[in-house]
């Protein structure tokens, strides 16, 4: 019987290894060496894909971490995969090690205990992050609590070709009036595309008398009254859109070719530097410029999060920390690369690192931080979930 008990002990499943403490960075570096990190991230932009490939080259050379970019069209697919693994009891070495995430997807993963952490504020480069001036500790009103780390800042800008549309517009009401006077010259991506739903949010934030209403969750009691102005606005706008509102660009990436081909004069972007990048890449004419609304536009941070069952948590933390490094942040802000806003506090950088940012040519179409003006807060994610569903019922079209 003694031999049987010994055999049973040998055959019993081994307990999962404890995760390395994020605060013990030397241990993180040691454990990360040789790990492969599967980063599930949007794959719809060539420039973004190339940046992620560069990150992979850097972390491989410096830390021995292999980064594999799993290209997504919808971040919700990654959330569903992790949830399915949890339901199946696959609590170790899941298929996903890191996700480019924010908004409702982060809220859903946090609520379902699908995230590793807290880790973000233990990363060495967190000390350089502008926690006072940028929204990097909340995500669409939801506290991050260290379960995701920021790597880029974004803000809504309107993109126009000054050769055909020299004027700028100060409000969403002015945009509606311009579209009615210039039918077919504006469109936005079809929701649930992220940029398409962002346009809907921007309309609502700009036309509501009290946009702070959107900072609390949507409920059956408040939803209809709050969103009624949005549907009235879209009813008036839709017939005057590109292709009479009977078709929409599939993604934000598809908007710039419409300007380049002369089909539209005005589009929307969530990257203040994207137009300059596109001009530099000869994807847009050099007459294109950007502007924001008089009351400001929606802004937020892009984050990465690590699933609770990642088998390469240490490697994922290495990548997350590198994304916040001055080297990666300066490269991402370069309009010849991405044109993303930085999450860093310039005052926290060394003189040499600050000089790199100061030396960046932001591009002819990129507004300065002062010109970008006030950043309007993202609504609570519950609003967008319901609004996107209602938009599909009211205006959705087959592609």
């Amino acid at each position: 019987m003694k031999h049987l008990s010994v055999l049973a002990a040998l055959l019993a499943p081994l307990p999962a290894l404890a995760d390395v403490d994020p605060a013990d960075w030397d241990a993180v570096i040691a454990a990360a060496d040789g790990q492969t990190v599967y980063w599930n991230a949007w794959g719809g932009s060539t420039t973004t894909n190339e940046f992620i490939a560069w990150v992979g080259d850097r972390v491989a050379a410096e830390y021995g971490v292999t980064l594999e970019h799993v290209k997504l069209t919808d971040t919700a697919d990654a959330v569903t995969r992790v949830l399915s693994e949890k339901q199946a009891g696959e609590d170790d070495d899941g298929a996903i090690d890191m996700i480019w995430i924010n908004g409702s997807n982060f809220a859903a993963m946090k609520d379902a205990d699908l995230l590793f952490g807290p880790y973000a504020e233990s990363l060495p480069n967190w000390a350089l992050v502008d926690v006072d001036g940028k929204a990097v500790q909340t995500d669409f009103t939801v506290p991050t609590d260290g379960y995701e780390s920021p790597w880029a800042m974004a803000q809504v800008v309107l993109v126009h070709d000054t050769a055909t549309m020299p004027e700028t517009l100060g409000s969403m009401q002015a945009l509606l009036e311009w579209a009615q006077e210039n039918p077919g010259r504006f469109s936005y991506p079809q929701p649930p595309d992220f940029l398409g739903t962002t346009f809907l949010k921007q309309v609502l934030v700009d036309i509501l008398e009290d946009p702070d209403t959107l900072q609390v969750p949507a409920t059956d009691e408040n939803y209809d009254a709050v969103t009624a102005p949005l549907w009235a606005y879209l009813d008036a706008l839709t017939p005057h859109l590109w292709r009479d509102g009977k078709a929409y660009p599939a993604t934000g990436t598809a908007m710039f070719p419409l300007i380049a081909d002369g089909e539209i004069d005005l589009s929307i972007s969530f990257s203040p530097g994207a137009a300059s990048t596109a001009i530099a890449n000869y994807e847009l004419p050099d007459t294109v410029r950007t502007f924001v609304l008089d009351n400001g536009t929606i802004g937020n941070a892009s984050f990465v999060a690590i699933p609770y069952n990642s088998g390469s948590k240490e490697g994922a933390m290495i990548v997350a920390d590198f994304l916040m490094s001055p080297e990666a942040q300066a490269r991402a802000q370069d309009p010849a690369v991405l044109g993303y806003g930085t999450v860093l506090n310039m005052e926290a950088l060394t003189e040499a690192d600050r000089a790199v940012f100061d030396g960046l040519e932001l591009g002819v179409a990129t507004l300065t931080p002062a010109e970008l003006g006030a950043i309007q807060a993202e609504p609570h994610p519950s609003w967008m979930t319901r609004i996107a569903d209602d938009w599909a019922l009211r205006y959705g079209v087959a592609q």
Side-chain angles (χ1 to χ4, degrees), residues 155-158 169-170 290-294 296-297 367 371-373:
Q155 185 176 343
V156 168
V157 294
L158 282 301
L169 307 170
T290 59
F291 65 90
V292 293
L293 306 179
D294 292 345
T297 51
L367 301 175
E371 290 169 332
L372 283 170

Side-chain angles (χ1 to χ4, degrees), residues 99-108 110 115 135-145 147-150 194 201 215 299-305 377-382:
I99 306 174
W100 177 358
I101 198 169
N102 62 8
S104 58
N105 289 309
F106 169 70
K110 189 183 181 194
L115 297 174
V136 292
Q137 292 177 302
T138 58
D139 187 349
F140 288 56
T141 76
V142 178
T144 61
D145 293 328
Y147 284 90
E148 60 179 357
S149 52
F194 176 76
K201 289 185 289 186
Q215 295 300 296
N300 66 30
S302 286
F303 296 90
V304 292
E378 283 277 9
H380 187 276
S382 58

Side-chain angles (χ1 to χ4, degrees), residues 293-380:
L293 306 179
D294 292 345
N295 290 332
T297 51
I298 291 173
N300 66 30
S302 286
F303 296 90
V304 292
I306 303 171
Y308 83 101
N309 62 343
S310 164
S312 299
K313 296 183 181 74
E314 297 83 11
M317 284 189 281
I318 290 288
V319 176
D321 186 62
F322 180 75
L323 287 169
M324 296 190 299
S325 69
E327 178 187 1
Q329 288 287 299
R331 186 176 181 87
Q333 190 165 17
D334 186 341
V337 179
L338 287 179
Y340 287 0
T342 181
V343 302
L344 300 184
N345 175 9
M346 293 297 104
E347 297 303 316
L349 302 186
T350 66
E351 185 175 343
D353 285 336
R354 193 160 56 245
V356 175
F357 284 90
D358 291 341
L360 289 175
E361 293 289 342
L362 296 182
V364 294
T366 305
L367 301 175
T368 66
E371 290 169 332
L372 283 170
I375 294 178
Q376 294 177 329
E378 283 277 9
H380 187 276

Side-chain angles (χ1 to χ4, degrees), residues 97-175:
D97 298 303
M98 194 168 76
I99 306 174
W100 177 358
I101 198 169
N102 62 8
S104 58
N105 289 309
F106 169 70
M109 292 195 77
K110 189 183 181 194
D111 287 346
D113 293 326
L114 297 179
L115 297 174
F116 165 72
Y119 75 91
E121 297 182 20
S122 296
L123 301 179
N125 283 319
W126 179 262
L128 305 178
V129 173
D130 187 359
V131 296
D132 295 322
K134 297 181 170 67
V136 292
Q137 292 177 302
T138 58
D139 187 349
F140 288 56
T141 76
V142 178
T144 61
D145 293 328
Y147 284 90
E148 60 179 357
S149 52
W151 72 282
M153 296 301 300
Q155 185 176 343
V156 168
V157 294
L158 282 301
V159 182
H160 66 131
D161 189 346
T162 60
T164 52
M165 181 192 173
E167 67 268 36
T168 61
L169 307 170
S171 67
M172 279 296 169
Q173 179 60 35
L175 188 152

